[in-house]
Amino acid sequence: PVTMATTEKTAEKQPGEETVVLSSEEALKIAAEGYAKSLQLSPAARKQVEAAEAATEKALERIQIIEQNINAVGSEVDGIAAELVPQLQRHTEQLNNVFALIDKMHDHIQNVKGSVEQMEGRLEAAQAANASGLSKTFSSLISGPPPKAPTEPVHIVSVEEFFSSLKV
C-alpha cells in the first residue's frame, strides 16, 4: 500500500506503507482521473443509454413524419372545405325553401280539411232537412217543426290562392 501526500500536507503513514510526495497538480490530476472513472458507465448501462438514444432518435423521426402528414392532410382538408362549404350553403338554402313550401302546403291542407268538414256538416244538415215526406210529417207531429238547412255559404279554399302563396 502507498500513502500519497502533497507537499502542502503530509498524510499519516501507516506501518508498512511507503510515503510518496506529490505536487498539488499531480494530486489534482490523480483525483480527477479517479472521479472520472467513478462517473463512467458500466457496459450494461452504456448499452441501455445507447438503446434509449436510438429509440429517441426513431421517435423524433416518426414525429417528423407525422407532422408532415398532418400538414399535408390539413391542406387537403382546407381545399375540400373551400370547395364543399359553398355547395353545402346553396343546398341548405334550397332545403330551407323546400321546407317553407312544405309548411305552406300543410297550412293549405288544413284549410281544405276545414272546408270539407264544414261542407259535410252542411250536407248532413241539408239531408236531415229534406228527409222523406213521411218522416217530415211524422216528425212534425211528434217533435214540432222540421230542422232547417243552414243558409250561409261555406268558404271553399281556392287553389289559385295556394299556388300564388308558394312564391318563397
Side-chain angles (χ1 to χ4, degrees):
V2 176
T3 302
M4 291 187 255
T6 61
T7 53
E8 300 164 359
K9 189 175 189 182
T10 307
E12 290 186 28
K13 182 178 166 185
Q14 299 292 328
E17 292 182 336
E18 99 184 46
T19 302
V20 178
V21 178
L22 302 171
S23 68
S24 294
E25 287 177 14
E26 290 173 335
L28 183 61
K29 183 179 177 184
I30 292 171
E33 287 173 0
Y35 181 69
K37 283 182 183 178
S38 72
L39 293 179
Q40 288 180 352
L41 297 175
S42 67
R46 187 178 316 271
K47 285 181 183 178
Q48 287 179 343
V49 168
E50 289 170 357
E53 286 173 348
T56 302
E57 187 65 32
K58 285 181 184 177
L60 290 174
E61 288 172 4
R62 182 72 178 133
I63 288 172
Q64 264 185 334
I65 292 169
I66 291 170
E67 189 176 52
Q68 291 170 353
N69 289 340
I70 288 173
N71 291 336
V73 169
S75 64
E76 287 178 24
V77 168
D78 291 343
I80 291 170
E83 182 181 324
L84 288 181
V85 168
Q87 290 176 3
L88 290 173
Q89 287 173 333
R90 284 192 302 275
H91 288 295
T92 300
E93 289 173 14
Q94 291 172 348
L95 286 174
N96 285 336
N97 291 339
V98 169
F99 293 145
L101 291 174
I102 290 171
D103 290 341
K104 285 184 177 186
M105 188 175 261
H106 178 266
D107 293 341
H108 178 70
I109 290 171
Q110 293 302 318
N111 290 336
V112 169
K113 183 179 176 184
S115 289
V116 169
E117 288 172 355
Q118 283 181 347
M119 289 178 72
E120 286 176 348
R122 298 279 174 99
L123 181 62
E124 288 174 6
Q127 286 175 344
N130 295 325
S132 70
L134 181 58
S135 298
K136 277 185 182 177
T137 307
F138 186 70
S139 65
S140 64
L141 291 175
I142 295 176
S143 64
K148 291 187 178 182
T151 57
E152 64 270 357
V154 173
H155 173 71
I156 298 176
V157 177
S158 168
V159 176
E160 289 82 19
E161 287 177 19
F162 171 71
F163 282 114
S164 66
S165 72
L166 290 182
K167 296 176 183 161
V168 179

